[in-house]
Amino acid sequence: MAGQSALLNDLKERGLRVTPQRAIILEAIEGLSGHITAEDIFGVVKEVNSYISLATVYRTLELLKELGLITESNMGTSTTHYALKTHGTHHHSVCRACGKTMDLPNSMFEPMVERLQSEFNFVADANHMVIMGWCECCRPEHTHEQDN
Amino acid sequence: MAGQSALLNDLKERGLRVTPQRAIILEAIEGLSGHITAEDIFGVVKEVNSYISLATVYRTLELLKELGLITESNMGTSTTHYALKTHGTHHHSVCRACGKTMDLPNSMFEPMVERLQSEFNFVADANHMVIMGWCECCRPEHTHEQDN
DNA sequence: TTATCTGCAAACGATTTGCGGCAGC
DNA sequence: GCTGCCGCAAATCGTTTGCAGATAA
């Protein structure tokens, strides 16, 4: 909508080449909000130009990761999910049984993040944390025995 | 040392076959403490009997997972790490830069786990959580801009 | 005996890479 | 025109699976 993608400007500033492929891929990433996979991006990209290869999508994701513009997260599947850093700080729960995900507010994690910092000198990557577990519907029996 | 592995007894009780392969694999898992990979186990197993295949290691891990005797976790690499449920409740921080891991006490997460349960009806898998971030030595600049 | 387990090797899905050609700058 | 980028196809890595033979119960 802004005519020029914010990510694209970032590339220019750093002296990297702005190619049509990169423009299309970056636009796809900005269009698909939330946590997306390389295949999600590839799907959108193909509709714009079917000659762009999946390898280029991966290479661009790798680049954006290095530039610190996107974050990677593992949602419990074999596929890596990506999200824009600007997507805002929030987190996810993923049900191990049914796979359902929920958004969790940052406030849920703030106290823990602060304690990690003050007590362990560890700066948690508090952008897109993923907590595995079981949702309301899928609670198994062996979740009670957590008291050792 | 105990003559009979606890895991092995569990298999028997459930009417599953106790094969030499399983005995060797279970012993290896109990011998290697902490978070281990399929290859770690395979390495130990091979020294006892070099004919046991990696596929059997994976099949046994799958079985133990189904029985709820081990937990799986993703430590930020492409390789899955496994740990005995009896290993005790504790968690890990993993540095995205240098890969260093630290053990974190359960107390660090308890308040959060309780809030997840009471406010979201979500039972977190609070056995071996992994928090990605940056350790003392590797703190990058872009960890300061977390105030949106 | 017989259902379960095994080894092997091939299949798998996600991701990476080598290479020759192409195109931003 | 140089260098960085691309598409392609093959390689990689961790993990899974089909099958036919072996073996615990």
Side-chain angles (χ1 to χ4, degrees):
Chain A
M1 220 157 256
Q4 194 71 280
S5 132
L7 295 178
L8 242 166
N9 285 330
D10 234 305
L11 288 194
K12 272 188 199 161
E13 273 172 29
R14 312 209 193 203
L16 293 160
R17 280 196 193 162
V18 175
T19 63
Q21 289 90 335
R22 285 181 175 174
I24 293 169
I25 292 169
L26 299 190
E27 203 162 320
I29 294 173
E30 288 172 324
L32 292 160
S33 59
H35 295 75
I36 57 183
T37 66
E39 287 289 347
D40 291 339
I41 298 166
F42 188 52
V44 172
V45 158
K46 264 196 304 200
E47 292 184 9
V48 181
N49 182 330
S50 60
Y51 292 102
I52 294 180
S53 90
L54 183 54
T56 302
V57 173
Y58 276 109
R59 281 193 271 233
T60 305
L61 285 170
E62 172 70 21
L63 182 68
L64 295 174
K65 203 177 21 172
E66 277 168 20
L67 299 180
L69 300 173
I70 58 172
T71 58
E72 237 184 48
S73 50
N74 176 289
M75 308 287 278
T77 64
S78 53
T79 324
T80 305
H81 288 243
Y82 302 88
L84 282 175
K85 262 272 173 60
T86 57
H87 184 211
T89 301
H90 72 277
H91 312 281
H92 296 270
S93 63
V94 180
C95 177
R96 280 202 197 279
C98 69
K100 192 174 83 178
T101 73
M102 281 192 302
D103 281 18
L104 301 172
N106 193 33
S107 64
M108 185 67 72
F109 298 89
E110 260 168 3
M112 182 196 73
V113 169
E114 273 161 28
R115 284 186 61 201
L116 279 171
Q117 169 119 27
S118 61
E119 294 175 33
F120 289 88
N121 267 310
F122 185 82
V123 177
D125 185 356
N127 245 89
H128 285 110
M129 276 189 287
V130 177
I131 302 288
M132 307 297 297
W134 294 272
C135 74
E136 211 164 347
C137 325
C138 301
R139 227 170 278 180
E141 329 71 56
H142 58 277
T143 51
H144 304 308
E145 34 172 284
Q146 305 276 7
D147 49 327
N148 60 324
Chain B
M1 241 339 86
Q4 194 71 280
S5 131
L7 295 177
L8 242 166
N9 285 331
D10 235 304
L11 289 193
K12 272 188 199 161
E13 274 173 28
R14 311 208 194 204
L16 293 159
R17 281 199 192 160
V18 175
T19 63
Q21 289 90 335
R22 284 182 176 172
I24 293 169
I25 292 169
L26 298 189
E27 203 161 321
I29 294 173
E30 287 172 323
L32 292 160
S33 59
H35 294 75
I36 55 181
T37 66
E39 289 288 347
D40 291 338
I41 298 166
F42 188 51
V44 173
V45 158
K46 265 196 303 202
E47 290 183 10
V48 180
N49 182 332
S50 60
Y51 293 100
I52 295 180
S53 90
L54 182 54
T56 302
V57 173
Y58 276 109
R59 282 193 270 233
T60 305
L61 285 169
E62 172 70 21
L63 182 68
L64 295 173
K65 202 175 25 170
E66 277 168 20
L67 299 179
L69 300 173
I70 57 172
T71 58
E72 236 184 47
S73 50
N74 175 290
M75 308 287 280
T77 65
S78 53
T79 325
T80 305
H81 288 242
Y82 301 87
L84 282 175
K85 262 274 173 60
T86 57
H87 184 211
T89 301
H90 70 277
H91 313 281
H92 297 270
S93 63
V94 180
C95 177
R96 280 202 197 281
C98 69
K100 192 174 84 179
T101 73
M102 282 191 302
D103 282 17
L104 302 172
N106 193 32
S107 64
M108 186 65 73
F109 298 89
E110 261 168 3
M112 183 196 73
V113 168
E114 273 162 28
R115 285 186 61 201
L116 278 171
Q117 168 119 27
S118 61
E119 294 175 33
F120 288 87
N121 266 308
F122 185 82
V123 177
D125 185 356
N127 245 88
H128 285 111
M129 276 189 286
V130 177
I131 302 288
M132 307 298 297
W134 294 273
C135 74
E136 212 163 349
C137 325
C138 301
R139 226 169 279 181
E141 328 74 55
H142 57 279
T143 51
H144 303 309
E145 34 172 285
Q146 304 277 8
D147 48 328
N148 60 323

